[in-house]
Amino acid sequence: MRLLATWMLVLHLFCAQATAAQVIVNDSAIDFPLPAPELRLIFSMQKVYWPDGQKIQVFILSPGSEIHKEFCFKQLDMMPYMLQRRWDRLVYAGTGERPIILKNEAEMQAQISRTPGSIGYVAAPVLSDDNLSDDNRVTRSLYETSP
C-alpha cells in the first residue's frame, strides 16, 4: 500500500509539471534560461529592458483565465491578485504600464512571433510554420521557480 501511494505521488508530480504553463519569447529577446526572480520582475513590469537594451513587451492572457492563474502560481510563485496590485500601483503612480492582455493562446503565439523583445506564456505551445521565420521565431522554455 505504501509503495502504491509513493508511485501515485510521483505520477502526480510528473503530471503537474507536464501541464504547467510555458514561457515563450521572441527569438530577438534573450537566450534562456532566465532565473525565476528575474522572470517575476519582468511579468510584474519592474524590469522593462532586456540586457541588450531592447524594451520588453509583456503579453498575458485574461487575468481570470485558468492558464493565467496557473502561470502565476507555478512559474512566478505568486498569487494573481498580487501581480494585478503591482500593475495597478505602477499605473497609478505613473511609473509604468500594464501588460497587453490577449484573448487566447493562438493570438499570444502570433503576437510574440511578430513583436521583437516580447514575452508571454501558453499552456502548450504549438509551433507551426506560420509562426516561424528565419529571423523572428517563437522560442519556448519551461522555467523552474527555485529560489
Side-chain angles (χ1 to χ4, degrees):
M1 188 65 171
R2 189 176 203 170
L3 183 61
L4 179 63
T6 303
W7 279 107
M8 288 177 61
L9 176 64
V10 169
L11 181 63
H12 172 72
L13 292 175
F14 281 118
C15 289
Q17 186 69 346
T19 62
Q22 293 186 353
V23 174
I24 56 174
V25 301
N26 183 281
D27 260 359
S28 67
I30 193 169
D31 293 328
F32 287 118
L34 289 172
E38 191 168 344
L39 191 62
R40 270 185 232 110
L41 287 175
I42 290 171
F43 276 94
S44 62
M45 306 301 284
Q46 294 174 332
K47 180 174 180 172
V48 293
Y49 293 100
W50 293 110
D52 65 357
Q54 185 176 24
K55 184 158 176 50
I56 300 172
Q57 180 61 60
V58 179
F59 293 106
I60 64 165
L61 295 174
S62 171
S65 71
E66 288 302 315
I67 298 170
H68 178 74
K69 292 175 186 176
E70 176 187 338
F71 173 73
C72 290
F73 287 128
K74 292 185 178 178
Q75 301 296 336
L76 301 180
D77 198 26
M78 60 190 313
M79 304 287 251
Y81 76 88
M82 293 169 57
L83 199 56
Q84 185 69 42
R85 282 185 183 172
R86 287 185 182 185
W87 298 332
D88 292 344
R89 192 178 311 126
L90 288 172
V91 171
Y92 180 74
T95 58
E97 55 190 36
R98 289 183 179 89
I100 296 173
I101 299 172
L102 301 175
K103 296 176 187 171
N104 55 40
E105 294 178 65
E107 186 180 1
M108 174 79 73
Q109 287 187 353
Q111 286 288 352
I112 294 211
S113 67
R114 284 190 296 246
T115 310
S118 59
I119 188 168
Y121 56 87
V122 292
V126 178
L127 301 176
S128 66
D129 292 337
D130 298 337
N131 287 343
L132 301 175
S133 68
D134 292 335
D135 60 343
N136 198 20
R137 59 192 166 89
V138 174
T139 303
R140 59 191 156 143
S141 176
L142 179 64
Y143 287 87
E144 296 295 330
T145 54
S146 58

